[in-house]
Amino acid sequence: MFDFKGKVALVTGGSRGIGRAISVGLGRGGATVIVNFAGNESAAQETCQLVEQAGGKAIARRFDVADPAACTAAVEETVKEHGGLHVLVHNAGIAIDQLLMRLKDEDLERQLDVNLKAAFYLCRAAARPMMKQRGGAIVNLTSVVGEMGNGGQTAYAATKAGLIGFTKSLAKELASRNVRANLVSPGFIDTDMTRDLPEDVRKAMLGAIPLGRLGSAEEVASAVCFLASDASAYVTGEVIRVNGGMLM
Ligand code: NAP
């Protein structure tokens, strides 16, 4: 467990799956967590309850991370209402799988907007208060697919690979103000995103994982909480893989 007492965190897509585990992990350390979600209000409320039960404070906030103005407003209002922003986790992400030959322009645009461009909007807004505070931790969620590629996921992989270049560059821009930027790269994790995969695809993927099982959202959240905490004070521009050995 890491100490987040007195810290304010914004977690995009913090209501379900990996994001929920991150919100609860931060709450366990005593953080005030802004739990962002897009549409599923009841999941967000349930997550807020879990954060509070774990010892933190939680506020659900609906906005589409693809909307630049909404991202800026979320950061600015968080700082105004809670006195600062110490941790930003851009976890919200979507995968619309299709072979390149059949990829629709709108599906490409949507994945770029939600997964990649949102990081620009959120981090740009968060950088100002974090630099002023002389401290902050940004953690972006990439994917094993962004590192090794995957047929049917050219767009998703491109957004996740883009996040790596973006975050490493940002780490260099913000380091002198003690603001760190890192990534966590999950492998095959048991969430709604992976639950609907056809049985043969699931079996093939399991065969490629040396640890022989899917990861849990909590196992990813542990790495995120480490990077969000002072325990990683000398770590920036880094990618922590949580993939059961799928890519070493
Ligand atoms: P998930 O279970 O599908 O949950 C997605 C979360 O993102 C939900 O809270 C959802 O809110 C929110 N969201 C989606 N679109 C949004 C938008 N436009 N604006 C704001 N919030 C939005 O996903 P997950 O599996 O936990 O994945 C979390 C992250 O890890 C993603 O970035 C994903 O790419 C990455 N990742 C996952 C895996 C895996 O195996 N699961 C592997 C590698 C990387 P609503 O419920 O309100 O829609």
Side-chain angles (χ1 to χ4, degrees):
M1 184 174 120
F2 301 101
D3 185 8
F4 296 109
K5 277 194 269 325
K7 299 278 171 78
V8 179
L10 169 60
V11 183
T12 67
S15 58
R16 283 193 294 117
I18 293 170
R20 171 179 283 182
I22 294 168
S23 297
V24 173
L26 293 167
R28 195 171 295 123
T32 295
V33 187
I34 315 301
V35 177
N36 158 250
F37 67 104
N40 189 337
E41 169 108 44
S42 62
Q45 292 304 344
E46 207 176 292
T47 299
C48 287
Q49 278 177 12
L50 293 171
V51 171
E52 305 241 338
Q53 279 163 19
K57 286 190 194 136
I59 300 101
R61 185 172 178 126
R62 183 201 298 256
F63 65 93
D64 182 351
V65 296
D67 177 349
C71 290
T72 307
V75 169
E76 287 179 356
E77 283 163 30
T78 297
V79 173
K80 209 163 142 197
E81 286 161 23
H82 303 285
L85 177 64
H86 308 93
V87 174
L88 168 67
V89 182
H90 178 41
N91 160 82
I94 53 166
I96 307 172
D97 297 350
Q98 192 54 271
L99 294 172
L100 178 63
M101 300 289 282
R102 296 197 195 122
L103 180 65
K104 295 192 193 115
D105 288 354
E106 63 259 35
D107 291 344
L108 168 61
E109 293 299 335
R110 186 68 186 155
Q111 290 175 90
L112 284 167
D113 287 347
V114 173
N115 298 358
L116 182 57
K117 284 162 76 179
F120 285 78
Y121 310 141
L122 291 156
C123 294
R124 187 173 57 193
R128 195 181 299 274
M130 287 182 172
M131 283 163 71
K132 221 167 142 192
Q133 284 162 193
R134 289 286 193 276
I138 292 169
V139 185
N140 292 323
L141 271 285
T142 179
S143 166
V144 67
V145 164
E147 297 186 90
M148 62 187 281
N150 194 26
Q153 293 197 312
T154 51
Y156 178 75
T159 64
K160 293 298 182 179
L163 275 173
I164 298 176
F166 166 75
T167 308
K168 290 187 175 190
S169 303
L170 184 67
K172 291 191 175 180
E173 287 190 12
L174 302 182
S176 65
R177 306 294 179 94
N178 194 36
V179 178
R180 300 178 298 107
N182 290 288
L183 304 112
V184 170
S185 181
F188 192 23
I189 309 301
D190 187 16
T191 69
D192 293 343
M193 195 180 245
T194 50
R195 229 153 260 158
D196 292 339
L197 285 176
E199 202 42 48
D200 54 330
V201 175
R202 178 176 283 262
K203 224 170 156 185
M205 290 192 86
L206 279 175
I209 303 171
L211 285 180
R213 64 173 176 85
L214 272 67
S216 70
E218 289 70 23
E219 287 168 328
V220 178
S222 297
V224 173
C225 287
F226 167 68
L227 290 172
S229 76
D230 292 343
S232 61
Y234 200 52
V235 182
T236 196
E238 191 53 76
V239 184
I240 296 188
R241 292 177 177 151
V242 183
N243 64 24
M246 195 174 169
L247 176 71
M248 298 186 182

